[in-house]
Amino acid sequence: MAEQVRLRRHSATDLFRLMRNPDAAAAVRGDLMGMLERTRQREARLDEFASSLPRLTERDLAALGQSDSTCPICLTSLLALLAEEEMALAMDSPAHPVEELGVTRLAQTCGHIFCRKELSTSLAVTRVIPTPTHG
């Protein structure tokens, strides 16, 4: 059975030990490749989730009684976010990716309304759906 080397820090000594122990180097390489693959799968799931969320319109916001509301993350007016989306889609080169523009609702979970950009960022960084902190 190959000796397992547990690296506490990335240092020149650790690199030297790995270079001298091909089994340990292979194990570390395998661990890194596994982490990379899990990260790619997680990002794909997050992208799929974000792209499946509905794009709300002014009419949707009015029907939900949310026309005067703000995004609970960035506190930007939802109507201003819709105007930004409309302007960006009319341009040839919007400032943000198209999938991050506009407003969405987490209808299948909590029902909260967020701007798509902040929701995407929050999901990518924290891996959890954000919870509004104000009423």
Side-chain angles (χ1 to χ4, degrees):
M1 183 172 181
E3 173 188 334
Q4 291 186 356
V5 176
R6 293 184 147 228
L7 302 179
R8 292 182 300 260
R9 300 180 198 141
H10 300 289
S11 67
T13 303
D14 293 331
L15 180 60
F16 181 72
R17 286 182 184 149
L18 286 175
M19 288 173 43
R20 293 183 59 201
N21 187 340
D23 292 335
V28 169
R29 189 177 311 110
D31 289 346
L32 290 174
M33 295 304 290
M35 287 175 18
L36 179 61
E37 181 59 29
R38 287 188 299 277
T39 299
R40 287 181 179 155
Q41 290 173 356
R42 187 186 110 244
E43 288 175 355
R45 286 191 308 270
L46 288 175
D47 288 343
E48 182 181 328
F49 174 74
S51 66
S52 72
L53 293 172
R55 288 189 176 278
L56 299 184
T57 63
E58 285 186 51
R59 183 176 287 143
D60 296 329
L61 291 178
L64 294 167
Q66 299 292 322
S67 294
D68 294 332
S69 296
T70 61
C71 171
I73 300 173
C74 67
L75 303 179
T76 303
S77 162
L78 297 178
L79 292 178
L81 291 164
L82 289 177
E84 178 187 34
E85 176 187 26
E86 185 178 332
M87 183 183 299
L89 292 175
M91 297 170 49
D92 288 335
S93 57
H96 301 288
V98 174
E99 57 273 3
E100 292 184 358
L101 296 172
V103 178
T104 192
R105 181 172 182 240
L106 301 177
Q108 295 179 347
T109 56
C110 60
H112 292 115
I113 298 173
F114 298 96
C115 64
R116 295 177 71 87
K117 181 178 69 164
E118 296 297 335
L119 182 61
S120 295
T121 301
S122 181
L123 287 172
V125 172
T126 65
R127 300 183 193 177
V128 296
I129 294 172
T131 303
T133 56
H134 70 283

